[in-house]
């Protein structure tokens, strides 16, 4: 006869509990960015954006990469393979995730201050963390950065959105040609 606390239950075992402290998505994305930038630089690839988020299938670590001649399947596979190895060594505590590496496409994410300046004159959509004048979703043409805020022009109106208030920003149907030229505003 077995001990009273001994289990002879044939049911499937319970899955491992999640980590005691779930990884903070923004912290992980920032750490991955610093590791991935070194890798991408050595491959001659621009690291456009990194996001670490929860999805229905679990956590997803998504990287967007680009290069002047366009990103190939081989580029994506190389970054995925090499970054996977780097993350296993340097960030072993982030739990299970799916790694996705892709090109930014026509709705290119904007995440750094220099992105908003670089893509001045292009159409963009911006979502804020909290409502500004009753709205969180803005669209218009990027007019650069002023005083730590993104300037977005729609018609005759310019909206300034502080960088720290932006939760998500993307170009809209990006092509190399800008929609509006804000370069020389002196009229010369």
């Amino acid at each position: 006869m077995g001990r009273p606390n001994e289990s002879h239950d044939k049911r499937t075992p319970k899955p491992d509990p999640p980590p005691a402290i779930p990884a903070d998505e923004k912290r992980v994305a920032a750490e991955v960015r610093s590791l991935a930038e070194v890798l991408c630089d050595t491959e001659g690839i621009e690291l456009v954006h990194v996001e670490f988020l929860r999805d229905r299938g679990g956590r997803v670590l998504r990287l967007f990469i680009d290069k002047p001649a366009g990103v190939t399947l081989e580029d994506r596979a190389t970054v995925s393979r090499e970054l996977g190895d780097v993350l296993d060594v340097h960030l072993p505590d982030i739990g299970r995730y799916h790694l996705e590496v892709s090109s930014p496409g026509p709705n290119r994410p904007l995440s750094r201050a220099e992105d908003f300046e670089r893509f001045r004159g292009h159409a963009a959509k911006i979502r804020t963390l909290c409502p500004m004048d009753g709205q969180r979703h803005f669209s218009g043409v990027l007019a650069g950065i002023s005083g730590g805020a993104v300037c977005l022009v729609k018609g005759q109106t310019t909206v300034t959105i502080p960088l720290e208030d932006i939760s998500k920003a993307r170009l809209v149907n990006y092509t190399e040609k800008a929609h509006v030229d804000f370069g020389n505003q002196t009229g010369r």
Side-chain angles (χ1 to χ4, degrees), residues 31-141:
E31 289 178 19
V32 169
R33 175 176 275 289
S34 68
L35 294 168
E37 279 179 335
V38 173
L39 169 68
C40 288
D41 285 347
T42 62
E43 296 292 330
I45 294 172
E46 175 192 2
L47 178 61
V48 173
H49 183 71
V50 176
E51 53 190 28
F52 186 59
L53 42 94
R54 296 176 193 269
D55 201 6
R56 286 185 291 209
R59 286 193 168 150
V60 176
L61 176 58
R62 188 172 295 134
L63 280 77
F64 295 94
I65 60 174
D66 202 4
K67 49 187 213 189
V71 177
T72 65
L73 181 59
E74 171 101 14
D75 294 329
R76 296 191 315 252
T78 298
V79 170
S80 178
R81 183 176 50 254
E82 291 181 17
L83 183 62
D85 293 343
V86 168
L87 295 177
D88 289 345
V89 172
H90 295 282
L91 291 176
D93 63 337
I94 62 174
R96 297 184 66 140
Y97 62 93
H98 298 282
L99 177 60
E100 296 178 6
V101 177
S102 63
S103 63
N107 296 325
R108 181 187 182 101
L110 304 168
S111 54
R112 300 169 296 189
E114 56 266 22
D115 292 341
F116 295 99
E117 204 54 59
R118 175 180 171 191
F119 295 104
R120 170 181 256 209
H122 292 277
K125 287 188 178 184
I126 298 175
R127 184 171 63 204
T128 58
L129 294 167
C130 298
M132 293 176 48
D133 294 328
Q135 80 180 73
R136 291 185 56 213
H137 299 269
F138 299 87
S139 61
V141 176

Side-chain angles (χ1 to χ4, degrees), residues 137-182:
H137 299 269
F138 299 87
S139 61
V141 176
L142 291 174
I145 299 260
S146 177
V150 174
C151 300
L152 193 67
V153 176
K154 186 162 189 169
Q156 299 298 315
T157 306
T158 300
V159 178
T160 56
I161 304 168
L163 279 167
E164 65 270 6
D165 291 348
I166 296 174
S167 66
K168 193 172 197 175
R170 296 192 179 276
L171 293 177
V172 178
N173 298 322
Y174 171 68
T175 61
E176 295 293 322
K177 184 171 168 44
H179 296 287
V180 177
D181 181 13
F182 292 107

